[in-house]
Amino acid sequence: MVRHIIWGNRSPSKTENITAFFNHLAGSLLQEEGQELNKWEGYVNWRNKPAMRDQHGGMLAASFVLVVEILENLAFLANASNLVLYLSKFMHYSPSSSANIVTNFMGTAFLLAVLGGFLSDAFFTTYRLYLTSAAIEFMGLLLVCLFSRRYLLLGFYLIFLTNSNNQTGLIDTHSSLPPHGAEQFDDTTPQGRKQRSSFFNYFVFSLSCGALIAVTFVVWIEDNKGWQWGFGVATAAILASIPVFLLGSPIYRTKVPAGSPITTMFKVLIAAVCNNCKSKNPSNEVMGMETSPSSYTTETGEEGNATKVKVPSQTLTEDLEFLNKAVTEKTVRPMLQCTVKQVEEVKVVLKIVPVFMCTIMLNCCLAQLSTFSIQQAATMNTKIGSLKVPPASLPVFPVIFVMLIAPTYNHVVIPFARKVTKTEMGITHLQRIGTGLILSIIAMAVAAVVEMKRKKVAIESGLLNSAEPLPITFLWIALQYLFLGSADLFTLAGMMDFFFTEAPKSMRSLATSLSWASLSMGYYFSSVLISMVNNITSIFRHTPWLSGSNLNHYHLERFYWLMCILSSLNFFHYLFWANRYKYRTESTAD
């Protein structure tokens, strides 16, 4: 009946059938073309199939990462916040020894993030890496929870070697969680780049949310119920993070691993060294382009011989000209043959290294919040009215401050800065990092003044040699926490956004992990600095600045002034590199 109505009283002709066939074919081709355009090139979904623009990615997908990060940081700080006091009070280490043990723990933890970043870029998707590392971390925490009484230090190293998500771990998820969240945004559009910048701000906000629970609820449990309960909370938090992460699986998009970025870096560096060492001759001139076979065409010479001629469609930049020699017609070894794209990518990474190095001193200052600052608070009056606050809960002040300032910065400061500067970013990454460095200088000066006041009270009250709490509120210590907490907000979010944005796509996870490597080296440098100060001051004095079992006998104020001076010198060093740095344009991004 339908056929009769459509065609009337006649049957369709052969021409009409052919036309209908080609129309159907054209429609199918257009549909396939539309599907191809709808695909995220270089990205897959959780089933390893092509990710689609209208189905995967976006702020909703990144939101699951933020919730997971709250649970991850809760678990990490649940174990780390009380450690320095446990070592000094219950295991009878000196304050300086306890500080060094904690900073070494933390340094080892953060440094292993680089390995996780390498694995994310080279072999595994960030999705699979997180799930694998979270499972390993859960098993590690479960073992420590069960056997922490007899093997405390061994247990902590086990946590840090298997803790994948809490800035630590042999398979580190702070090298997979931030890039996994940042990968959900389209960096080819202004809107996508703005959303990605907001994600990093809220990533620090999520860190603070987890920290707030850890330094209040979990610290209270550890102080009143025992350490096993604290481990239990951490274990439960990690276990809960896995299903939360899995809930976002249908809408995640994940970058396809592109091979080892470290191999590419070493190949370019070795090729540049070898080719620069070779005797110069015309056959070794630097090529303009060699990224694909189309860079060459075949021409016929006067004698009829076919020769390959380079057709440069891209030139090497003048920055770090030494590396340009990696691109030549003839190399020492064929395996060292490099393309212009590879050389330019390595240049980008090398140019962000000085910025990375300048953030180490700030993280050395941050290390004091987990060590000497808590020990200072433990010697003071920790009561607020009738409430006695555990010293390990002191970080609650900067945590709350960060939780307030992060949304304000994202929704008030940045929009205002964009209107004033008429730029997409408003405040550049390097300006954010520089602001954090300035705040760290102020924090160390404040810490030195507060310690002088604390020591003065100890002397005037006759409690210099006593273990009794001093008649001075521990809220004075909160001042340095506020400044350092603000510095961490500006610098950490700025670093992650800067490294992720500036790095080539094939190296983004590794580059983002530099944020955690900076923390690691800052903690290590804190341990080295304490040892150096004690060794040097012991030469000129009978007792070093930071030695003994009584913190009141320390010259901690001098140590803080030293860090203030070093931080100031570091800031001028940073200004030198920041002023020379040129942001990578989108046209040269990949």
Side-chain angles (χ1 to χ4, degrees), residues 343-374:
V343 172
E344 291 303 309
E345 285 182 348
V346 171
K347 284 183 180 181
V348 169
V349 174
L350 292 180
K351 284 190 291 186
I352 66 177
V353 168
V355 176
F356 157 75
M357 297 296 293
C358 291
T359 61
I360 293 174
M361 189 63 215
L362 178 142
N363 289 308
C364 180
C365 297
L366 285 174
Q368 311 315 310
L369 297 185
S370 302
T371 54
F372 286 129
S373 295
I374 292 178

Side-chain angles (χ1 to χ4, degrees), residues 77 81-82 208 211-212 214-216 219 369-370 373-374 377 389-402 474 477-478 481-482 485:
L77 290 180
S81 57
N82 242 342
S208 300
L212 179 64
V215 300
T216 54
V219 166
L369 297 185
S370 302
S373 295
I374 292 178
V389 180
S393 293
L394 193 61
V396 70
F397 297 104
V399 163
I400 294 175
F401 183 69
V402 168
F474 79 127
I477 304 295
Y481 272 83
L482 290 178

Side-chain angles (χ1 to χ4, degrees), residues 261-277 320 322-327 335-339 342-351 353 507:
I262 294 180
T263 301
T264 300
M265 292 184 65
F266 276 114
K267 184 174 77 169
V268 171
L269 293 173
I270 294 172
V273 171
C274 293
N275 293 337
N276 273 284
C277 292
L320 301 173
F322 173 82
L323 295 179
N324 290 351
K325 282 288 186 179
V327 185
M335 64 181 298
L336 293 179
Q337 190 70 55
C338 302
T339 66
Q342 290 173 330
V343 172
E344 291 303 309
E345 285 182 348
V346 171
K347 284 183 180 181
V348 169
V349 174
L350 292 180
K351 284 190 291 186
V353 168
M507 303 181 184

Side-chain angles (χ1 to χ4, degrees), residues 2 7 25 218 380:
V2 175
W7 294 101
L25 180 62
V218 179
M380 304 166 77

Side-chain angles (χ1 to χ4, degrees), residues 191-219:
Q191 180 65 17
R193 291 190 292 271
K194 290 177 181 178
Q195 288 180 333
R196 184 179 62 198
S197 180
S198 296
F199 165 78
F200 283 118
N201 289 333
Y202 277 105
F203 187 85
V204 177
F205 176 83
S206 298
L207 287 173
S208 300
C209 289
L212 179 64
I213 301 172
V215 300
T216 54
F217 174 68
V218 179
V219 166

Side-chain angles (χ1 to χ4, degrees), residues 495-546:
M495 276 197 299
M496 288 192 295
D497 200 357
F498 174 71
F499 293 146
F500 186 91
T501 302
E502 293 297 295
K505 279 187 178 179
S506 60
M507 303 181 184
R508 279 181 167 175
S509 293
L510 180 63
T512 307
S513 69
L514 290 178
S515 304
W516 311 114
S518 174
L519 281 167
S520 168
M521 298 183 73
Y523 277 99
Y524 278 134
F525 183 57
S526 176
S527 297
V528 171
L529 190 60
I530 291 172
S531 299
M532 289 179 60
V533 165
N534 281 339
N535 289 335
I536 294 173
T537 54
S538 63
I539 297 175
F540 302 100
R541 297 172 56 88
H542 294 295
T543 57
W545 283 1
L546 308 171

